[in-house]
Amino acid sequence: MSFPGIPGQGFGGGGVDTAGSSSQEQMMIKYMQAAMESCPAKTVISGGMGFVLGGAFGLFMSSMSYDTPLTPQGQQLASLPVREQLRRGFKDMGTRSFSSAKNFALVGSIFAGTECCIEGFRAKNDLKNGIAAGCLTGGALGAKAGPQAAAIGCAGFAAFSAAIDYYMRMPSD
């Protein structure tokens, strides 16, 4: 079994030209490549990027969801002073943004970690890794809602992952 980033297996070069670099720079490049090839580092990076993206997405979506004065909730909010309206609005935006950030981080971490482990176990980098990781991620996220939800989550995440991976692997013209 070959896991990416495990010392003693070589660094694979990665296509980086280190000619003319000092030995310290070469070692730094090797350490950075090893970190980017390790499953724990990929999982943490994907979780962090998911958190940032989810926070931005949640902030945008929450800013679009406020009621108009035509609804009962909107009328109640409109009757408050402007300062209180802003306070409630920003508090709600922060809560929703943080919730979305946590969810995106969870999905990104589970998918990236699972895909990396499958890739290391199979010792191949192909479309099947993403499909299997998508199925496991969707199934795990839907498991709390029951077996039918887990199966639908598995199929949905696998299909989405297959479509994205297929598009990303297409040769550029």
Side-chain angles (χ1 to χ4, degrees):
M1 210 166 25
S2 168
F3 287 104
I6 303 293
Q9 295 180 346
F11 293 104
V16 177
D17 184 22
T18 58
S21 302
S22 70
S23 62
Q24 184 178 8
E25 289 173 339
Q26 290 176 358
M27 288 301 296
M28 183 59 75
I29 290 170
K30 285 184 181 182
Y31 287 137
M32 289 172 66
Q33 285 177 341
M36 292 307 295
E37 292 175 358
S38 79
C39 290
K42 281 184 180 179
T43 302
V44 169
I45 290 169
S46 294
M49 294 303 291
F51 188 85
V52 170
L53 180 65
F57 183 74
L59 185 65
F60 174 75
M61 293 304 289
S62 67
S63 68
M64 298 294 162
S65 69
Y66 290 107
D67 294 322
T68 65
L70 302 176
T71 64
Q73 295 88 0
Q75 288 175 353
Q76 182 183 12
L77 189 63
S79 67
L80 296 173
V82 173
R83 188 178 189 121
E84 181 64 19
Q85 288 179 22
L86 288 172
R87 189 187 70 76
R88 287 187 184 185
F90 285 135
K91 184 177 180 181
D92 184 52
M93 286 171 67
T95 302
R96 289 187 188 191
S97 180
F98 185 67
S99 174
S100 182
K102 289 189 301 184
N103 291 333
F104 272 62
L106 179 68
V107 171
S109 295
I110 292 173
F111 181 81
T114 305
E115 184 182 35
C116 187
C117 288
I118 291 171
E119 182 180 324
F121 182 73
R122 292 185 66 228
K124 291 181 183 177
N125 184 1
D126 59 6
L127 200 61
K128 293 177 185 176
N129 295 341
I131 294 171
C135 181
L136 288 171
T137 302
L141 293 173
K144 289 182 181 178
Q148 185 177 7
I152 291 171
C154 170
F157 267 78
F160 182 72
S161 178
I164 296 298
D165 272 355
Y166 179 76
Y167 177 76
M168 295 301 290
R169 292 175 189 269
M170 285 177 42
S172 60
D173 292 334

